[in-house]
Amino acid sequence: ARRRDLPLPRLEAALAAHDEALAAGDERVAKRARKSDVTRHGDVVVKESIPHGALGRVKDRLAPRRHDAGYRNAYRLSLEGVATARPLAWVRRGGRVFTLYEDLSALPRLDHLARTLYAGPDRTAQVRLRDAVADWLGGLHASGIYHGDLKGSNVLVRSTASGYELPVIDTDRM
């Protein structure tokens, strides 16, 4: 396990709560998909990477670094000053792989906010968001940072006094 600043009891509790949430299928489950399951637990998000099929399990054994890429990239981004969910831990346990992040789910997704703004008449708000996204993306690329799965659902929006901050999530292909 790699731990940054998540105490072991909190880590253990989050992993247990992840399994409980998946078994219950309750509101803590944020995503169930072929490649990953994601659950929310207060201020922590648990993402479980799931190898797909026999080939996926072989790849996982031969090249396990793919699963911890999100953790490593989020940590590097935070060092570069790029807003992202703070990586809290990466754990391989019993053949399962978990990454724990700071929960930013209270922030709206870029695609949801854009859909809301562009459905309304406020042209100023639309231009403000469009320009913020263009500046943010241009700044990332000028820094040599590229997101391999950039879409509105992988960017969150935080309003600030000077405009918008755009935390990026799903960092495994950056």
Side-chain angles (χ1 to χ4, degrees):
R2 293 183 188 177
R3 288 191 309 274
R4 262 181 39 140
D5 52 3
L6 191 67
L8 188 56
R10 181 68 177 110
L11 172 72
E12 296 294 341
L15 294 178
H18 173 76
D19 286 338
E20 292 167 10
L22 292 176
D26 60 26
E27 69 280 348
R28 295 174 292 174
V29 177
K31 174 182 173 185
R32 290 218 67 170
R34 182 176 62 91
K35 293 194 265 181
S36 64
D37 290 333
V38 180
T39 58
R40 295 187 184 110
H41 312 282
D43 58 345
V44 175
V45 169
V46 179
K47 179 178 183 179
E48 180 179 0
S49 300
I50 302 170
H52 183 65
L55 181 58
R57 287 187 293 278
V58 169
K59 283 181 177 179
D60 181 48
R61 292 293 171 211
L62 296 176
R65 293 178 53 85
R66 174 75 169 102
H67 288 302
D68 76 339
Y71 174 88
R72 287 182 289 110
N73 291 342
Y75 182 71
R76 288 178 183 146
L77 289 170
S78 66
L79 293 176
E80 293 286 332
V82 176
T84 189
R86 187 169 42 101
L88 301 172
W90 182 86
V91 179
R92 180 183 290 273
R93 178 178 291 168
R96 298 168 72 190
V97 177
F98 305 93
T99 310
L100 289 80
Y101 296 98
E102 165 190 25
D103 185 2
L104 298 179
S105 63
L107 298 176
R109 291 177 12 180
L110 175 60
D111 56 338
H112 291 171
L113 180 61
R115 191 174 302 119
T116 300
L117 288 180
Y118 279 83
D122 188 352
R123 178 83 173 125
T124 302
Q126 296 166 5
V127 169
R128 185 173 162 235
L129 181 63
R130 181 202 64 205
D131 289 352
V133 171
D135 291 345
W136 170 77
L137 190 56
L140 284 180
H141 289 178
S143 299
I145 300 170
Y146 300 89
H147 194 296
D149 190 23
L150 187 61
K151 54 190 173 189
S153 61
N154 287 338
V155 180
L156 304 176
V157 181
R158 179 182 288 131
S159 292
T160 67
S162 60
Y164 291 114
E165 179 183 56
L166 300 164
V168 63
I169 58 174
D170 198 9
T171 56
D172 60 322
R173 294 196 304 190
M174 290 192 79

